[in-house]
Amino acid sequence: MDIQWSLVLFTALTGLGGWLFFFVCLNVFTRKTDKGALVGAVASFALLAVGGLASVTHLSHPDRMLGALQHPTSGIFTEAVLVGLLAIVIAAFAVMVKRGIDGGALKAVAAIGMALGVLMSFMAGQSYLMSAIAAWNTELLPLGYLSTAAASGASAYLALIAVQKADDKALSFAGLTTLVAGAVSLVAVIAYGAASGAFAGEGTLLVAAAVCGGALPAACGAFAWKKVDKALTWGAVALVVAIAGSVAFRCAMWVVGAGLYDFFGLI
């Protein structure tokens, strides 16, 4: 079982896009800044599109994906529906922001977008749960997918509003959310590694995921929280390491699964 890079990129990029949009929408409720809404929505949509294209390259016959979409219980169907719905919501949000529509209507769209962003990253990991592979058959796997995507999304939002020169309060709050997301990611990755037994075997990728996908984004978020004059630097560093950590976690899943298959002589 080799690392399926198409699926790694699909879940990492769509997770990043979904959680970037989550934090864009969170600002609709917190009102910390008037920066980043439209650009963030466009970036989120682009990440979903690129991630979706990456998933298609996994299929030797992309046209057969239409057959898979005829089965509502399949993981492909669930992921496709969530990505499609979120793309529609992001497009609606962008149009509303562009036209200056605010108030209850925008908050309703934002709330739906936040829910879809969270659900999409979780279900991307949920699709892999199967009793045949013990290391995958735990809810800690989708939680790892969710939390590493959250850390990358929070980092992206911090970098985005720093580029757009948001005020100090907004940057400080974005730093705090990056700190929290990174800390949650760190705990989730360590928990999955312990539960799956990966740390007892080939745990290098999971260590990288914990450090890059959790500890470092949390540290960068803490620095940005307290030192907003360097928020752009810390946001950029956090984004780079968080994406690396998110990819490492997803690669680790395949490596753990491959190890189990080798043990039983199935490949």
Side-chain angles (χ1 to χ4, degrees), residues 104-132:
L106 186 64
K107 287 182 177 179
V109 172
I112 295 171
M114 292 171 74
L116 287 173
V118 173
L119 184 60
M120 183 181 66
S121 62
F122 180 83
M123 292 306 297
Q126 184 78 16
S127 297
Y128 295 106
L129 266 63
M130 60 182 73
S131 57

Side-chain angles (χ1 to χ4, degrees), residues 43-138:
S44 299
F45 190 93
L47 287 165
L48 291 187
V50 175
L53 290 174
S55 70
V56 174
T57 65
H58 175 66
L59 303 173
S60 58
H61 297 278
D63 55 291
R64 294 181 183 175
M65 182 176 64
L66 297 177
L69 295 178
Q70 295 175 10
H71 300 278
T73 58
S74 69
I76 293 177
F77 179 88
T78 301
E79 292 167 359
V81 168
L82 290 173
V83 170
L85 288 175
L86 183 56
I88 292 171
V89 171
I90 292 174
F93 180 89
V95 170
M96 294 175 75
V97 170
K98 182 67 175 178
R99 295 183 177 181
I101 300 174
D102 203 347
L106 186 64
K107 287 182 177 179
V109 172
I112 295 171
M114 292 171 74
L116 287 173
V118 173
L119 184 60
M120 183 181 66
S121 62
F122 180 83
M123 292 306 297
Q126 184 78 16
S127 297
Y128 295 106
L129 266 63
M130 60 182 73
S131 57
I133 304 180
W136 292 6
N137 197 34
T138 168

Side-chain angles (χ1 to χ4, degrees), residues 137-242:
N137 197 34
T138 168
E139 292 294 338
L140 291 172
L141 178 61
L143 285 175
Y145 268 66
L146 182 151
S147 61
T148 52
S152 59
S155 302
Y157 183 70
L158 171 60
L160 172 66
I161 64 171
V163 168
Q164 297 208 321
K165 302 185 184 302
D167 60 33
D168 288 356
K169 288 183 178 180
L171 292 171
S172 180
F173 182 73
L176 178 59
T177 58
T178 303
L179 165 60
V180 172
V184 171
S185 178
L186 176 61
V187 171
V189 171
I190 291 175
Y192 173 72
S196 66
F199 287 136
E202 180 54 60
T204 304
L205 281 171
L206 274 178
V207 171
V211 174
C212 295
L216 291 179
C220 291
F223 288 130
W225 177 31
K226 295 300 183 180
K227 299 289 185 180
V228 294
D229 57 317
K230 299 293 185 180
L232 177 56
T233 299
W234 293 120
V237 172
L239 177 58
V240 171
V241 295

